[in-house]
Amino acid sequence: TQKNKKISKLVQLNDNTLEKYVYYKSRNAFVVVTSDKSEKSREIGQVFKELSSVYHGDFETILIGEINVDGDEPCDWIKSKFEITEYPKVLYFPFGNIDDPEVYEGDLTIQDFVKFVNGKVDLFRTVDGSIDKSVGTLPEVTDIIRKFVNSKLEDRYKLMQDVIAALKEVDKTRVGEDKVIIDKLTYY
């Protein structure tokens, strides 16, 4: 019997497909350039396969890809364009900008790759692909919310006023999209 193998979501790129898959103004790409001749490349290629599973549901936001220069498909244009002479090389293409990628210089671990990608594309994935449990929380009001949830029914009206006041304080310290914007909060 065959074991169930996890199917890789890693997009294989080459001279003929780079522009097709990466050149999207609304999508970012995080790509590793590997060589079969480099042990480190093969290791990082495997890490990128794991990384592709982490972000497989976010394909419209981030493409995780690999360019294997020793594969069957042509890669000479890519090697020349991005001045690739050592492997592995990891490139980040913000919003499909294939003319000026950022060279990733961090540690080559799944944890560091996830942290990098999350920071670049405003996602909150963990290394297992789930959403970080802190997403959607405001640490500044966690204690008052906890107090509200655990309070007696007759105390909640007063506590709701405290929750509103705490959220307004948070708004004073945030700008732009980070503002909570308290318009109306009703407790029945």
Side-chain angles (χ1 to χ4, degrees), residues 30-45:
F30 196 48
V31 176
V32 63
V33 183
T34 61
S35 168
D36 291 340
K37 298 171 187 155
S38 161
E39 178 67 29
K40 189 70 172 171
S41 278
R42 290 191 301 273
E43 290 172 13
I44 299 308

Side-chain angles (χ1 to χ4, degrees), residues 29-32 48 51 62-65 90-92 104 113 116-117:
F30 196 48
V31 176
V32 63
F48 257 69
L51 188 66
I62 183 77
L63 174 140
I64 307 297
V90 180
L91 303 171
Y92 172 70
Y104 174 84
F113 290 150
F116 178 84
V117 171

Side-chain angles (χ1 to χ4, degrees), residues 143-156:
D143 289 339
I144 189 70
I145 297 290
R146 186 175 291 122
K147 189 175 178 182
F148 175 84
V149 169
N150 294 321
S151 68
K152 294 179 181 174
L153 204 52
E154 57 268 12
D155 297 331
R156 287 190 175 175

Side-chain angles (χ1 to χ4, degrees), residues 111-129:
Q111 293 85 359
D112 289 299
F113 290 150
V114 167
K115 183 177 180 181
F116 178 84
V117 171
N118 282 344
K120 291 293 185 179
V121 299
D122 221 13
L123 291 171
F124 302 92
R125 295 280 174 201
T126 63
V127 295
D128 68 359

Side-chain angles (χ1 to χ4, degrees), residues 10-178:
L10 189 62
V11 178
Q12 296 298 319
L13 301 167
N14 57 59
D15 286 353
N16 299 322
T17 61
L18 181 72
E19 287 181 313
K20 177 182 177 183
Y21 288 108
V22 174
Y23 190 65
Y24 276 87
K25 296 292 184 200
S26 62
R27 180 171 59 209
N28 303 273
F30 196 48
V31 176
V32 63
V33 183
T34 61
S35 168
D36 291 340
K37 298 171 187 155
S38 161
E39 178 67 29
K40 189 70 172 171
S41 278
R42 290 191 301 273
E43 290 172 13
I44 299 308
Q46 290 302 312
V47 174
F48 257 69
K49 284 181 182 173
E50 288 178 51
L51 188 66
S52 70
S53 292
V54 170
Y55 293 102
H56 78 275
D58 301 302
F59 187 73
E60 292 301 316
T61 303
I62 183 77
L63 174 140
I64 307 297
E66 177 183 28
I67 300 165
N68 183 335
V69 298
D70 297 320
D72 294 335
E73 300 298 327
C75 296
D76 292 336
W77 176 77
I78 290 171
K79 290 190 298 188
S80 174
K81 180 171 180 62
F82 303 119
E83 301 173 357
I84 297 170
T85 57
E86 295 179 7
Y87 307 96
K89 187 163 204 162
V90 180
L91 303 171
Y92 172 70
F93 298 88
F95 301 105
N97 183 353
I98 63 169
D99 293 320
D100 191 24
E102 177 181 338
V103 176
Y104 174 84
E105 296 180 4
D107 289 336
L108 303 175
T109 67
I110 186 78
Q111 293 85 359
D112 289 299
F113 290 150
V114 167
K115 183 177 180 181
F116 178 84
V117 171
N118 282 344
K120 291 293 185 179
V121 299
D122 221 13
L123 291 171
F124 302 92
R125 295 280 174 201
T126 63
V127 295
D128 68 359
S130 62
I131 302 290
D132 187 296
K133 66 180 179 179
S134 67
V135 171
T137 65
L138 296 170
E140 303 94 325
V141 296
T142 299
D143 289 339
I144 189 70
I145 297 290
R146 186 175 291 122
K147 189 175 178 182
F148 175 84
V149 169
N150 294 321
S151 68
K152 294 179 181 174
L153 204 52
E154 57 268 12
D155 297 331
R156 287 190 175 175
Y157 181 78
K158 164 65 176 108
L159 285 171
M160 180 53 75
Q161 303 311 310
D162 295 343
V163 168
I164 292 169
L167 288 170
K168 286 182 179 179
E169 282 302 310
V170 169
D171 255 4
K172 288 180 186 176
T173 63
R174 296 179 178 221
V175 295
E177 291 181 12
D178 287 338

